[in-house]
Amino acid sequence: MSSAETNAAARIRVRGLAKRYGAFEVFRDVAFDVGQREVVTIVGASGCGKTTLLRCLDGLLPADGGEIWIDAQRLAAPIAGVAMVFQHFGLFPWKTVYDNVAYGLRMAGASREEIGRRVPHFIALVGLAGFEQAYPYQMSGGMQQRCGLARALAIDPAVLLMDEPFAAVDAQTREILQFELLRIWEGKPTSMIFVTHSIEEAVLMGDRVFVLKGRPSRVAETIAIDLPRPRTRATLRLPRFAELRERVWSTLMSEARQAEFQLSGG
Amino acid sequence: MRESSGSAAAYHLGRHLPFALSLAGGLALWELVGRESSPAFLVPFSTTMERLWELLVGGTLVAETLDSAGLFATGFLLSVVVGIAAGLVLARVQVLRVALEPYIMILYATPMVALIPFILSLMGFGFIPKVLVVFLFGVFPVLYNTVEGARSIKPEMLEVARSFRSGERALWRDVMLPYTLPFAMTGIRLAIGRCLVGMVAAEFFLSSNGLGQLIMSASQNFDTGGLFAAITVICLIGVGLMRLGFALESRFAHWRK
Ligand SMILES: Nc1ncnc2c1ncn2[C@@H]1O[C@H](COP(=O)(O)OP(=O)(O)O)[C@@H](O)[C@H]1O
Ligand SMILES: [Mg+2]
């Protein structure tokens, strides 16, 4: 997708976004567009403000400057059509898988009939069929995040916000979930912003990788990922995949090295 | 098949045998000591059971137990409803909580028996002052545990609710209440025991009927058998209610690990 196309079809537009916690400036001058069927992955050191940025994009946190537009709507509070998948899963432990997946639909005022139709569909889509009546504490981390994903997908979001969704699961499960998410996304491509601290994951999932850097941080680099879709396990073996991974890596590391020098110098 | 049911029986026997033996031993000890004691202050188990049977057949026991049960149920339900409602409000409205916390702590710590003479002089005998005593015994554990529970909800949970655009009412119904219920249940379990104490105390001081009065009058009439019969009934009710309390608590708290 060329950048002109991306802009024409932008679903998310962020302009001059800034956020402070008291005197601590998290990021400044963050600006980007995300297309209607584009996956943007965001990488950056821990604490650089990735979660804060997503919370702003979900309308959970007011920015201190700048604007966020979703289609023709300027964001001020959580809006319909934007769904978040949380790093800590965010499931309600007193609700079954079925009731957790139904939660977003119920909050959106869906009819009983619609809930009864959509919930089983999305439970099956994420591979949780048969676990409808299970409680979160009875399931592994990977299964819990499948449930979190189904809850987000069930409201048919135009924008999916993913905050390190697979960071809290073991490496094998993580790999399985990455390819399942790719499969699900191919079935119904939407705007997706996917935060991760894994460089491989960023390259595998994204159409573009944003590198968040600096203090206060900003989008320091944008790396276009011209790997073919659909992405599968074979993608990991492409020479181009290794090249792109190295590029993201060196962009991130230049800062890590600087920070190290500053530390030893100070 | 037969063998497995046989081993299941053996398992149950092994589990319950120590308890059954210690209970039988305790009752035997009561019987023996009771026979050697002056009937003015202790009668044996067998005499207690005979007297219990007389009171039961005569209808006195049933009438007084029903009377007490009505008092207990009214005061207890009131303390649950008020404790949970006020607890949720206090958890949500910080000003109120900060302002009222000292009173709650003081009243939770005060042995409520100390207030009974005051209630007597203020309201006299009757059903309402008795209910008030039972209520005061039970309300503070419910209130306190509800406040602590509701306040311990993780901000992440509230953020999930906001992210899915929950309204205030849905927030209470889907998040705050189900989250708080197990904590309130702990308070309710404590309240069951305390309300039972409150019931007997209220009947001692403010009543002419109920199991508490049965104890008082038996003791005044040197009816030691009747005294122990009433104590036994209260004891059984207490054990039953406690088990009910634990069952309720685990029913609502199963997800809390
Ligand atoms: N509610 C808050 N109040 C104050 N500081 C915060 C708050 N939330 C996050 N921070 C700080 O802001 C910075 C960015 O946090 P976060 O967005 O969680 O980073 P990331 O997700 O990239 O690890 C961190 O230094 C963190 O300590
Ligand atoms: Mg984070």
Side-chain angles (χ1 to χ4, degrees):
Chain A
M1 195 182 287
S2 79
S3 87
E5 254 174 354
T6 307
N7 285 335
R11 169 142 282 149
I12 308 171
R13 283 175 296 136
V14 178
R15 296 289 176 269
L17 203 69
K19 180 67 200 171
R20 262 182 274 111
Y21 289 117
F24 173 61
E25 213 175 344
V26 186
F27 51 74
R28 179 199 293 179
D29 270 335
V30 172
F32 57 82
D33 287 0
V34 182
Q36 289 180 3
R37 300 161 153 245
E38 191 185 19
V39 181
V40 162
T41 50
I42 298 180
V43 290
S46 170
C48 76
K50 304 181 295 294
T51 296
T52 303
L53 178 60
L54 279 198
R55 290 173 72 212
C56 290
L57 289 167
D58 199 24
L60 292 169
L61 202 62
D64 294 306
E67 295 172 7
I68 299 166
W69 292 80
I70 310 282
D71 290 325
Q73 200 171 357
R74 174 145 181 217
L75 201 70
I79 61 169
V82 179
M84 176 103 105
V85 174
F86 298 85
Q87 180 174 357
H88 52 79
F89 313 142
L91 301 178
F92 296 118
W94 52 87
K95 285 184 191 290
T96 59
V97 165
Y98 187 97
D99 289 338
N100 268 294
V101 174
Y103 178 74
L105 283 168
R106 284 188 34 238
M107 294 303 113
S111 70
R112 196 179 271 267
E113 179 271 329
E114 193 182 355
I115 293 172
R117 191 163 38 78
R118 294 182 71 87
V119 170
H121 169 75
F122 284 97
I123 287 178
L125 185 69
V126 300
L128 280 183
F131 291 93
E132 290 80 359
Q133 297 312 315
Y135 285 90
Y137 68 85
Q138 297 168 321
M139 303 193 300
S140 67
M143 288 166 80
Q144 291 186 48
Q145 195 57 299
R146 285 170 189 264
C147 182
L149 184 61
R151 177 176 65 182
L153 294 171
I155 64 167
D156 195 19
V159 173
L160 260 176
L161 303 174
M162 316 278 279
D163 188 8
E164 304 199 35
F166 308 142
V169 302
D170 64 82
Q172 264 177 315
T173 309
R174 176 182 193 139
E175 218 175 293
I176 294 167
L177 289 174
Q178 284 167 353
F179 289 105
E180 292 223 10
L181 177 61
L182 282 168
R183 167 184 64 81
I184 290 168
W185 183 86
E186 297 289 351
K188 190 161 194 276
T190 54
S191 279
M192 179 155 85
I193 299 186
F194 189 107
V195 164
T196 174
H197 60 240
S198 155
I199 294 169
E200 294 227 345
E201 191 170 71
V203 173
L204 177 66
M205 309 296 301
D207 295 306
R208 285 184 294 160
V209 176
F210 292 175
V211 179
L212 218 58
K213 281 208 305 198
R215 279 193 184 260
S217 63
R218 63 200 168 77
V219 179
E221 302 272 348
T222 302
I223 297 153
I225 306 297
D226 49 7
L227 295 166
R229 287 193 188 266
R231 308 231 176 118
T232 60
R233 293 193 59 82
T235 308
L236 298 174
R237 292 192 299 272
L238 296 174
R240 183 69 183 145
F241 180 85
E243 273 173 47
L244 289 163
R245 191 183 56 198
E246 284 308 301
R247 260 199 71 193
V248 177
W249 191 84
S250 57
T251 313
L252 265 174
M253 283 312 122
S254 67
E255 185 192 44
R257 203 163 300 135
Q258 271 171 16
E260 211 172 351
F261 282 134
Q262 273 168 12
L263 273 180
S264 57
Chain B
M1 198 63 205
R2 177 173 297 172
E3 192 172 311
S4 81
S5 77
S7 71
Y11 170 77
H12 281 289
L13 195 66
R15 235 177 90 105
H16 296 296
L17 196 60
F19 169 69
L21 284 178
S22 108
L23 188 66
L27 292 178
L29 192 66
W30 179 3
E31 185 69 30
L32 287 175
V33 176
R35 284 178 187 205
E36 297 308 312
S37 312
S38 151
F41 80 99
L42 184 65
V43 294
F45 174 61
S46 55
T47 315
T48 304
M49 287 302 113
E50 276 166 33
R51 188 76 185 102
L52 186 66
W53 181 248
E54 277 170 31
L55 288 168
L56 198 63
V57 173
T60 323
L61 191 62
V62 176
E64 303 297 9
T65 304
L66 283 180
D67 199 83
S68 290
L71 170 62
F72 175 87
T74 312
F76 170 70
L77 287 180
L78 214 58
S79 67
V80 168
V81 171
V82 172
I84 291 181
L88 288 172
V89 171
L90 287 185
R92 194 84 176 141
V93 186
Q94 200 191 337
V95 186
L96 272 182
R97 186 173 67 245
V98 175
L100 297 180
E101 208 156 39
Y103 294 101
I104 294 169
M105 289 311 294
I106 289 168
L107 286 169
Y108 192 16
T110 305
M112 283 300 154
V113 204
L115 294 183
I116 294 180
F118 169 65
I119 291 171
L120 178 65
S121 63
L122 196 71
M123 305 175 75
F125 294 90
F127 189 62
I128 292 180
K130 282 195 291 181
V131 167
L132 182 64
V133 170
V134 176
F135 166 77
L136 284 174
F137 267 79
V139 71
F140 291 103
V142 180
L143 179 69
Y144 183 80
N145 282 282
T146 304
V147 173
E148 289 303 300
R151 288 187 57 196
S152 72
I153 189 161
K154 290 203 207 108
E156 289 106 85
M157 290 276 118
L158 300 177
E159 188 159 279
V160 171
R162 273 215 307 134
S163 176
F164 283 97
R165 296 159 43 81
S166 168
E168 181 75 11
R169 270 181 68 188
L171 183 72
W172 283 93
R173 195 190 52 225
D174 278 88
V175 184
M176 298 294 289
L177 266 176
Y179 177 83
T180 309
L181 215 52
F183 296 90
M185 278 297 156
T186 304
I188 289 171
R189 180 170 55 73
L190 296 171
I192 288 176
R194 290 176 57 131
C195 282
L196 203 62
V197 177
M199 178 195 87
V200 175
E203 286 172 347
F204 276 1
F205 294 102
L206 304 173
S207 193
S208 53
N209 40 26
L211 288 168
Q213 263 316 295
L214 197 62
I215 289 179
M216 284 303 251
S217 64
S219 137
Q220 276 154 16
N221 299 330
F222 306 104
D223 174 12
T224 313
L227 175 67
F228 279 95
I231 292 174
T232 305
V233 170
I234 291 176
C235 199
L236 290 176
I237 293 175
V239 170
L241 286 174
M242 271 307 178
R243 296 194 70 140
L244 184 71
F246 277 114
L248 271 178
E249 193 179 9
S250 57
R251 161 74 183 76
F252 285 99
H254 68 95
W255 55 266
R256 199 171 57 162
K257 292 229 287 183

